[in-house]
């Protein structure tokens, strides 16, 4: 049976995976250029350090959301592996709720506040001169993705275990 919420989750995760591939490719090109310009041409590029840092931020935050979408995030699975049936389902819903309890206030609201403040203050990066709000946008974006994934997982657990 095809679950529409899992279908949406899979489509989003597929697109996020492509974005991660592009970011990683850009990082490889950027760092390669940095090494070439510094050691081969003896004229270090000024923007590559900052660009690598920003790409790493995006890679890390979107990567965390991507991994959460696959339920492969860092976890201690001693208790879930020992439980079965209703107890395991209750625990899994509780774990998803805890993740939502972090993602919503910290990543979505806190990240949105950070984006808003840096945008209003007009803070720009030193070398690239791009607004830092653009760099920080990945925090609430990742939080929204994590929220969507966790809600889809809770919905899946509840639909496939009616005796919840």
């Amino acid at each position: 049976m095809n679950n529409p919420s899992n279908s949406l989750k899979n489509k989003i995760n597929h697109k996020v995976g492509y974005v991660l591939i592009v970011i990683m490719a850009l990082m490889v090109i950027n760092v390669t250029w940095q090494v070439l310009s510094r050691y081969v041409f003896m004229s270090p590029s000024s923007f590559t350090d900052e660009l690598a840092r920003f790409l790493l931020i995006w890679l890390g935050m979107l990567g965390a959301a991507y991994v959460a979408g696959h339920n492969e995030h860092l976890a201690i699975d001693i208790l879930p592996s020992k439980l079965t049936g209703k107890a395991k389902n209750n625990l899994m819903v509780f774990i998803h709720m805890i993740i939502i309890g972090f993602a919503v206030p910290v990543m979505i609201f806190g990240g949105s506040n950070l984006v808003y403040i840096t945008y209003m203050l007009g803070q720009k990066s030193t070398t690239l001169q791009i607004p830092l709000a653009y760099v920080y946008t990945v925090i609430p974006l990742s939080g929204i993705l994590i929220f969507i994934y966790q809600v889809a997982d809770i919905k899946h657990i509840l639909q496939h275990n009616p005796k919840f």
Side-chain angles (χ1 to χ4, degrees):
M1 181 166 115
N2 195 5
N3 186 351
S5 64
N6 272 347
S7 176
L8 174 65
K9 176 182 166 182
N10 291 336
K11 285 179 184 176
I12 293 171
N13 233 13
H14 192 69
K15 293 199 184 312
V16 172
Y18 278 125
V19 171
L20 288 169
I21 290 168
V22 169
I23 291 172
M24 192 65 192
L26 289 173
M27 279 188 68
V28 168
I29 293 166
N30 181 58
V31 172
T32 302
W33 175 249
Q34 182 178 29
V35 170
L36 285 173
S37 68
R38 179 168 293 160
Y39 295 110
V40 175
F41 302 126
M42 300 301 175
S43 177
S45 181
S46 60
F47 71 90
T48 52
D49 276 346
E50 194 169 80
L51 182 58
R53 192 175 320 121
F54 295 159
L55 289 171
L56 187 61
I57 291 169
W58 273 74
L59 185 71
M61 294 302 294
L62 281 179
Y66 180 79
V67 169
H70 283 290
N71 284 323
E72 293 178 358
H73 46 79
L74 185 63
I76 300 171
D77 63 349
I78 295 170
L79 194 54
S81 65
K82 300 222 184 275
L83 295 175
T84 58
K86 184 178 176 182
K88 183 174 184 172
N89 293 335
N90 287 342
L91 178 63
M92 296 312 295
V93 168
F94 179 69
I95 290 170
H96 290 302
M97 293 301 291
I98 288 174
I99 294 170
I100 289 171
F102 173 80
V104 171
V106 176
M107 296 179 76
I108 296 174
F109 293 131
S112 296
N113 192 36
L114 176 64
V115 170
Y116 175 74
I117 289 170
T118 55
Y119 180 75
M120 293 308 290
L121 293 175
Q123 293 180 339
K124 293 187 175 185
S125 66
T126 309
T127 307
L128 296 172
Q129 288 297 304
I130 60 172
L132 288 177
Y134 296 163
V135 176
Y136 298 146
T137 301
V138 73
I139 299 169
L141 175 64
S142 296
I144 290 167
L145 290 172
I146 289 171
F147 175 78
I148 291 169
Y149 295 148
Q150 300 309 308
V151 168
D153 287 342
I154 290 171
K155 191 174 178 182
H156 181 76
I157 290 169
L158 295 176
Q159 285 177 343
H160 287 84
N161 302 292
K163 296 178 185 176
F164 190 81

